[in-house]
Amino acid sequence: MQLNDNFQKLQKNYLFANIGQRVRAYQAAHPEADIIRLGIGDVTRPLPAAAIEAMHRAVEDMAGADTFVGYPTDYGLHFLEDAIQADYARIGVDVDISEIYISDGAKSDTGNIGDIFGADNAVAVCDPVYPVYVDTNVMAGRAGEIAADGHWSKLLYLTCTAENDFAPQVPDEHADLVYLCSPNNPTGQAMSEAQLSDWVAYANREGAVLLYDAAYEAFITDGSPRSIFLIPGARTCAIEFRSFSKTAGFTGVRCAYTVVPKELERNGINIGTLWGRRQATKFNGVSYITQKGAEATLTEEGRVQVQETLDYYQANAKAIRAGLESAGFKCWGGINSPYVWLKAPEGMASWDLFDLLLNECQIVGTPGSGFGPAGEGYFRLTGFGTAERTAEAVRRIQARFA
Amino acid sequence: MQLNDNFQKLQKNYLFANIGQRVRAYQAAHPEADIIRLGIGDVTRPLPAAAIEAMHRAVEDMAGADTFVGYPTDYGLHFLEDAIQADYARIGVDVDISEIYISDGAKSDTGNIGDIFGADNAVAVCDPVYPVYVDTNVMAGRAGEIAADGHWSKLLYLTCTAENDFAPQVPDEHADLVYLCSPNNPTGQAMSEAQLSDWVAYANREGAVLLYDAAYEAFITDGSPRSIFLIPGARTCAIEFRSFSKTAGFTGVRCAYTVVPKELERNGINIGTLWGRRQATKFNGVSYITQKGAEATLTEEGRVQVQETLDYYQANAKAIRAGLESAGFKCWGGINSPYVWLKAPEGMASWDLFDLLLNECQIVGTPGSGFGPAGEGYFRLTGFGTAERTAEAVRRIQARFA
């Protein structure tokens, strides 16, 4: 009996457990404290009315013998595929129905995509980074061994710091798989057309595949590309992951999709066919009710409602960024993202700022070091709270630092 | 760039495509033909009223700021874990909440479970068998190469035929991972307490892990064990997969669960911890609405309604078995299962019987050879149709064969 030994290499992720522990200890010592949580990466606003109505109708369909729906097709139901295709068309991207693979989440897809690639590929990830990209490659044996500084021996790190405005730079080295996330979690920065074009050129030159996580694309407000497929050449080198989670508030009902262009081939093998086979063998489709709800968020009415929620979170993020900048913090994100990424005061580590904000302002955020070694000295706050509490948090920080 | 070369070894599954093609050709040539489909493995009856009501309420929860639910927890929401624990208690099985991992389907779980095991384990599967067990091991590199007879070089086959009443026998050889499915898909046979006890003894002796697929446990009517955990010693050697799909009609809304006992360890490592890490990294939980619906099927009211639907399918299956036996067929299943497995007339191959039933009776079934080499000469019919159409199908077969 042999276990997957790579699992033993995984570092136990203490980040959120550690945060919870410190918050509970503080609350116990200060029962009267009014703590504001801006560490949260989950949405909080109700679902759009169009989705609620569509899901009620879908539930009713499941109550009738003539309207009951059994197994959803492995790659998604046609009505939702059509709506996703139309959504891409609105931003000028032409996607074929057969290129769309609907799933239960971008976490599942960005995690499972590794199944179709060999174990010896060279993998590039940003630092700091969404931990799923790293952990799933550790599990698959592509990460090597962890060093004292927290870097894995076989991963190629694309360091993102204030010096490069948190934009991952094309490396001199070869990589086979490159994880990019734009707008980025945790830094909130969106990549420009020029930056993405550099990556598409790199991938086509190197024969690499870009694994492009666009889960936050709906938050883009400054004209940055909302899809990698807006970049010429991307169809021969990129897979795009999108989600209804952060855009339409679907974290609790689970719907996402992955687009693999027909032109994407390596070693003469079509990548979409591999992903389709993976999904058909290890996945059985997304709830009919969820897919009906997702479709409704892409109708004219639904899109207006989704935008209202996006505006709400974005107003929070902008308020955080403006408020913190006026208090002397250097900030990124918050323009194309619900996330604001900030530099801790000179010489202060991420966890020091965490403790300071908790103890002196009763505010919970996320230490940047939790997202990778290069996140040390940075900190993440999110716009997913209520407007009132967010404004109160900003006031407290300003009172402490301004 | 290296792809997962094991994917190239996968045989394209022509089974259902081939069936569809032949049915379409027949329909085109005989537009007036009234075809009855008894090949279907999907449920067709509406969801229980209790689940419909609960899901409407859950949709409404998502419409309110105070009741909205974001990310479900990775391993399931507590109310459903509690209901599953109570459901096990009703059959005398004691399961801890921490041992329950709720997911979007038994196909996902039986497919993904391989992630936590090494690539060099010896894997045993039944023949005939649910294709997912084989295909996911091919993908993981555990199956070796396929031979001309359809067997994979590294898999240990547990041949199930009429001679052993389709009960997989404990082999002389060592295996590390053993897939068992009871009641079985496709044969419809449930394993007895004595047979399961043999397997538990084998696994504990060999250090093997039993991957026990109990997706059809609710169809058991003859007192056969409804859980592997009813067998003493199973907690140190078995993982059990269960599902709301076939029992409560949830194929279209997606909910299942896997139970990994705390005592299950190999090489000093807790297996549940590995599975938990896999799920937390590559999965983000099941729709809140689905989990509320699933919980409702386990209430007193819900269980009565579920039983009515099970009775309906089971009456169909029994009618098929009785009708075919009276027409001279040798049959298995249909007692603890919605599936009836039958022997084609002497010398007739599975596909020959398929063509005969389609051409002469206008009935669609599933050739047994599609489930593995030992399925040749057998055939599967299912009780998932309507009572009226099922009765009509039986009449046609009797008219042709009796």
Side-chain angles (χ1 to χ4, degrees):
Chain A
M1 162 59 64
Q2 195 192 54
L3 301 175
N4 180 344
D5 292 330
N6 296 310
F7 274 62
Q8 297 312 311
K9 298 182 183 174
L10 280 172
Q11 305 302 295
K12 197 162 165 150
N13 193 338
Y14 290 110
L15 178 63
F16 289 98
N18 198 343
I19 290 173
Q21 208 168 26
R22 294 190 193 204
V23 172
R24 279 191 301 275
Y26 182 81
Q27 188 86 73
H30 307 83
E32 78 301 341
D34 175 28
I35 295 174
I36 303 178
R37 290 161 200 272
L38 296 182
I40 188 171
D42 195 0
V43 299
T44 54
R45 305 288 298 164
L47 290 186
I52 295 294
E53 289 157 25
M55 292 199 291
H56 274 308
R57 284 193 300 272
V59 169
E60 219 37 53
D61 286 345
M62 301 305 259
D66 296 337
T67 49
F68 178 81
V69 177
Y71 284 123
T73 47
D74 293 323
Y75 307 147
L77 292 163
H78 288 311
F79 59 80
L80 182 53
E81 292 177 328
D82 289 345
I84 290 168
Q85 182 182 50
D87 195 48
Y88 267 114
R90 275 190 289 274
I91 59 167
V93 171
D94 189 20
V95 163
D96 192 78
I97 292 292
S98 68
E99 299 172 331
I100 301 168
Y101 299 84
I102 293 167
S103 80
D104 67 322
K107 182 177 172 188
S108 304
D109 285 356
T110 55
N112 291 329
I113 193 77
D115 280 11
I116 67 171
F117 296 107
D120 291 331
N121 287 307
V123 175
V125 293
C126 295
D127 178 17
V129 71
Y130 176 50
V132 165
Y133 311 150
V134 173
D135 288 353
T136 56
N137 278 294
V138 173
M139 288 173 167
R142 293 191 198 95
E145 306 297 328
I146 194 165
D149 71 351
H151 282 138
W152 292 87
S153 58
K154 286 183 170 177
L155 296 184
L156 174 60
Y157 285 92
L158 310 166
T159 307
C160 298
T161 59
E163 287 65 45
N164 58 22
D165 215 28
F166 295 95
Q169 305 297 305
V170 166
D172 294 330
E173 298 92 335
H174 169 79
D176 298 303
L177 298 171
V178 181
Y179 290 82
L180 295 175
C181 177
S182 177
N184 190 269
N185 176 14
T187 71
Q189 293 285 87
M191 291 170 75
S192 68
E193 189 177 338
Q195 289 162 349
L196 289 174
S197 297
D198 283 351
W199 277 107
V200 167
Y202 171 87
N204 280 323
R205 186 170 70 234
E206 297 286 331
V209 173
L210 303 180
L211 302 170
Y212 189 75
D213 186 346
Y216 296 90
E217 53 83 20
F219 287 89
I220 289 176
T221 58
D222 76 351
S224 298
R226 287 180 55 178
S227 167
I228 189 74
F229 299 122
L230 286 163
I231 309 300
R235 290 183 58 89
T236 53
C237 69
I239 294 172
E240 179 159 293
F241 304 96
R242 282 180 162 215
S243 172
F244 291 90
S245 283
K246 302 298 168 82
T247 58
F250 268 45
T251 56
V253 285
R254 318 301 313 137
C255 199
Y257 50 100
T258 289
V259 175
V260 189
K262 278 182 284 198
E263 292 90 328
L264 184 59
E265 297 191 347
R266 289 294 179 269
N267 313 338
I269 292 164
N270 185 279
I271 303 290
T273 304
L274 292 189
W275 180 240
R277 193 64 199 260
R278 192 271 165 210
Q279 290 298 84
T281 307
K282 293 188 174 185
F283 181 63
N284 227 336
V286 175
S287 165
Y288 167 71
I289 298 164
T290 296
Q291 292 194 59
K292 276 290 183 187
E295 179 196 21
T297 69
L298 295 176
T299 59
E300 203 168 327
E301 180 199 5
R303 286 185 290 124
V304 169
Q305 295 165 355
V306 164
Q307 192 58 51
E308 285 167 4
T309 303
L310 291 171
D311 290 347
Y312 183 94
Y313 295 137
Q314 219 132 20
N316 288 342
K318 287 195 175 116
I320 293 170
R321 177 160 176 174
L324 268 80
E325 284 180 337
S326 82
F329 285 92
K330 175 79 182 134
C331 297
W332 297 264
I335 293 166
N336 299 312
S337 169
Y339 297 133
V340 175
W341 185 249
L342 53 110
K343 181 89 182 74
E346 195 52 40
M348 190 178 277
S350 297
W351 277 108
D352 294 339
L353 181 56
F354 177 90
D355 289 333
L356 187 156
L357 287 177
L358 177 60
N359 289 310
E360 301 190 25
C361 305
Q362 293 77 51
I363 291 170
V364 180
T366 311
S369 55
F371 298 99
E376 180 57 272
Y378 294 92
F379 203 78
R380 192 188 77 174
L381 293 173
T382 88
F384 287 129
T386 66
E388 300 69 28
R389 299 291 281 168
T390 303
E392 167 63 16
V394 168
R395 272 192 297 276
R396 291 185 192 173
I397 295 176
Q398 287 178 320
R400 169 62 180 77
F401 288 96
Chain B
M1 161 59 64
Q2 197 193 51
L3 300 175
N4 180 343
D5 291 332
N6 296 310
F7 273 61
Q8 297 311 310
K9 298 182 183 174
L10 281 171
Q11 305 302 295
K12 198 163 161 139
N13 192 336
Y14 291 110
L15 178 63
F16 289 98
N18 198 341
I19 290 173
Q21 206 167 30
R22 293 189 195 206
V23 173
R24 278 191 301 277
Y26 182 82
Q27 189 85 74
H30 307 83
E32 78 300 342
D34 176 27
I35 296 174
I36 303 178
R37 290 161 200 273
L38 296 183
I40 188 170
D42 194 2
V43 298
T44 56
R45 304 287 300 164
L47 291 186
I52 295 292
E53 288 157 24
M55 292 199 292
H56 274 309
R57 283 194 300 270
V59 169
E60 217 39 50
D61 286 345
M62 300 306 259
D66 296 337
T67 50
F68 178 81
V69 177
Y71 285 122
T73 46
D74 293 325
Y75 308 147
L77 293 164
H78 289 310
F79 58 82
L80 182 54
E81 291 176 330
D82 289 345
I84 290 168
Q85 183 182 48
D87 195 49
Y88 266 113
R90 275 190 288 273
I91 59 166
V93 172
D94 190 20
V95 163
D96 193 77
I97 292 292
S98 67
E99 299 172 330
I100 300 168
Y101 299 84
I102 294 167
S103 80
D104 67 321
K107 182 176 171 188
S108 304
D109 285 355
T110 55
N112 291 330
I113 194 76
D115 280 12
I116 67 172
F117 296 107
D120 292 330
N121 287 307
V123 175
V125 294
C126 294
D127 177 18
V129 71
Y130 177 51
V132 165
Y133 311 149
V134 173
D135 288 353
T136 56
N137 278 293
V138 173
M139 289 173 168
R142 293 191 199 95
E145 306 298 328
I146 194 164
D149 71 351
H151 282 139
W152 292 87
S153 58
K154 287 183 171 175
L155 296 184
L156 174 60
Y157 286 93
L158 311 167
T159 307
C160 298
T161 59
E163 287 64 44
N164 58 22
D165 214 29
F166 296 95
Q169 306 298 305
V170 166
D172 295 328
E173 299 92 334
H174 168 78
D176 299 303
L177 298 171
V178 181
Y179 290 82
L180 296 175
C181 176
S182 177
N184 189 268
N185 176 15
T187 71
Q189 294 286 87
M191 291 170 75
S192 68
E193 189 176 338
Q195 290 163 348
L196 290 174
S197 296
D198 283 351
W199 277 107
V200 166
Y202 171 87
N204 280 323
R205 187 170 68 236
E206 297 286 333
V209 173
L210 303 180
L211 302 170
Y212 188 76
D213 187 346
Y216 295 91
E217 53 82 21
F219 287 90
I220 289 175
T221 59
D222 75 352
S224 298
R226 287 180 55 178
S227 167
I228 188 75
F229 300 122
L230 286 164
I231 310 300
R235 290 183 57 88
T236 53
C237 69
I239 295 172
E240 179 159 291
F241 305 96
R242 282 180 160 214
S243 173
F244 291 91
S245 282
K246 303 297 169 82
T247 58
F250 269 44
T251 56
V253 287
R254 317 299 316 132
C255 199
Y257 50 101
T258 289
V259 175
V260 189
K262 277 180 283 197
E263 293 89 328
L264 184 58
E265 296 193 346
R266 289 295 178 268
N267 313 338
I269 291 163
N270 185 280
I271 304 290
T273 304
L274 291 189
W275 180 241
R277 192 67 201 258
R278 191 273 166 210
Q279 290 299 84
T281 307
K282 292 188 174 186
F283 182 62
N284 227 335
V286 175
S287 165
Y288 168 73
I289 298 164
T290 296
Q291 292 195 61
K292 276 289 181 185
E295 179 197 20
T297 70
L298 296 176
T299 59
E300 204 168 326
E301 180 199 6
R303 287 186 290 125
V304 170
Q305 295 166 354
V306 164
Q307 194 56 53
E308 286 167 5
T309 303
L310 292 172
D311 290 347
Y312 183 94
Y313 295 138
Q314 220 132 20
N316 288 342
K318 286 194 175 117
I320 293 170
R321 177 160 176 174
L324 268 80
E325 284 179 338
S326 82
F329 285 92
K330 175 79 182 133
C331 296
W332 297 262
I335 292 166
N336 299 312
S337 169
Y339 299 133
V340 175
W341 185 248
L342 54 110
K343 181 89 182 76
E346 195 51 40
M348 190 179 276
S350 297
W351 277 107
D352 295 339
L353 182 58
F354 177 90
D355 288 333
L356 187 155
L357 287 177
L358 177 60
N359 289 309
E360 301 189 24
C361 304
Q362 292 78 51
I363 291 170
V364 180
T366 311
S369 55
F371 298 99
E376 179 58 271
Y378 294 93
F379 203 77
R380 192 188 77 174
L381 293 173
T382 88
F384 287 129
T386 66
E388 299 72 26
R389 300 290 281 168
T390 301
E392 166 65 14
V394 169
R395 273 192 296 276
R396 291 184 192 174
I397 294 176
Q398 288 179 317
R400 169 62 180 76
F401 288 95

